[in-house]
Amino acid sequence: LPHGLRPLAADLVARTIANASSFFEWGGGGGAEVFARLLKRGGHVGAVDHVRPRCEAAAASPFSRCLQAAGALHRRCVEAKNVNLVKGDYPARWVKNASDTSEASAFSDYVAAVRDAPAPYDVVYVAGRFRVACLLEALPYVKNTSVALLYQAARYLSIDKRMNRAAPARKYIRGPKSAYYFPRSGNKIRVGMRMNAVVFRYYALAEIKENIVVLRPRLPLSDFQKASWPVDVAQARLDPS
């Protein structure tokens, strides 16, 4: 299964996409090849990654070649120039020191790749780096009936999987904050500095299954959201997690 999804999470993604006509994916885990098959006939797929070997492997698949030949797939490989990637695909300076954001700007085109593909999208799937930034960047390119799927959501959101709801944030402030998730043991586990409050400013939690959450955009944006969105996007673009 793409992105290492477990059965319940994969079923949630499949059900979400089943009635969609357009799909955009950040990350090269295979969603554009697998889940795009569930779109309605005549649907359109957009995808972007920033790691060249993954881009080449995805582009070489028979399904991708057929979609591209039909003009139904818009795939981009947007590499970060002059950045050393470690631990898979993280910028090395950030891994060494999380306060070092000097390499973040090299990923700006990757985050903004949704602007270059036909929009709006019914479904956006966020599974690569800079996930919170990608979620926020997607807002102008989705509809109020669209959904966003966030992979490995417990890294970013305080969620209670047992109750299918968001756990209350300790402190609603703009920018990074401590977030927690609740495993089956019931013990609260800290998962680091994340942007829980910022995500829920623009998205509502719809459903949780294992390591996937379905988010619905809070559209149309209020005047407050419109004013805060550029600030929040700029802040999120500094966090490659």
Side-chain angles (χ1 to χ4, degrees):
L1 291 171
H3 301 289
L5 294 178
R6 289 175 287 184
L8 290 178
D11 178 69
L12 172 60
V13 176
R15 287 190 286 105
T16 303
I17 293 175
N19 295 317
S21 297
S22 53
F23 175 88
F24 187 90
E25 177 190 30
W26 277 277
E33 279 70 46
V34 177
F35 294 126
R37 301 168 192 240
L38 303 173
L39 294 176
K40 295 178 181 178
R41 181 178 290 274
H44 182 85
V45 180
V48 64
D49 200 357
H50 67 88
V51 179
R52 177 62 60 180
R54 288 203 305 245
C55 293
E56 293 174 348
S61 77
F63 184 68
S64 285
R65 292 200 302 267
C66 288
L67 280 179
Q68 287 177 309
L73 172 61
H74 182 93
R75 182 186 293 282
R76 291 189 63 196
C77 188
V78 184
E79 292 183 281
K81 303 297 183 183
N82 302 315
V83 173
N84 182 30
L85 300 179
V86 298
K87 294 183 180 294
D89 54 1
Y90 290 94
R93 292 179 186 172
W94 180 83
V95 170
K96 185 177 181 180
N97 179 5
S99 64
D100 187 342
T101 60
S102 60
E103 296 177 323
S105 61
F107 296 84
S108 294
D109 289 344
Y110 164 77
V111 173
V114 69
R115 303 177 186 179
D116 301 327
Y121 281 95
D122 295 328
V123 179
V124 293
Y125 191 103
V126 183
R129 298 282 67 84
F130 294 87
R131 293 183 198 176
V132 174
C134 292
L135 275 174
L136 300 186
E137 187 70 43
L139 282 167
Y141 306 98
V142 296
K143 303 169 289 187
N144 60 0
T145 56
S146 301
V147 295
L149 297 162
L150 178 62
Y151 175 58
Q152 293 178 330
R155 292 184 182 180
Y156 312 93
L157 304 177
S158 299
I159 55 176
D160 188 336
K161 297 180 182 181
R162 299 164 302 168
M163 301 296 291
N164 193 46
R165 64 175 175 82
R170 294 186 313 161
K171 197 173 183 181
Y172 285 92
I173 57 174
R174 182 175 299 151
K177 63 170 299 295
S178 294
Y180 300 85
Y181 90 103
F182 295 78
R184 291 183 178 179
S185 67
N187 297 319
K188 187 167 64 173
I189 296 178
R190 183 173 181 172
V191 294
M193 301 298 288
R194 294 296 179 258
M195 295 184 177
N196 186 57
V198 171
V199 171
F200 289 130
R201 183 174 298 144
Y202 303 98
Y203 288 91
L205 179 65
E207 191 172 354
I208 306 170
K209 280 291 184 295
E210 295 175 331
N211 56 353
I212 287 285
V213 298
V214 179
L215 301 165
R216 297 195 179 277
R218 301 181 186 272
L219 297 176
L221 297 180
S222 67
D223 290 341
F224 170 76
Q225 289 169 314
K226 291 176 182 177
S228 63
W229 180 80
V231 178
D232 291 335
V233 172
Q235 179 67 47
R237 281 173 173 265
L238 301 179
D239 183 359
S241 59

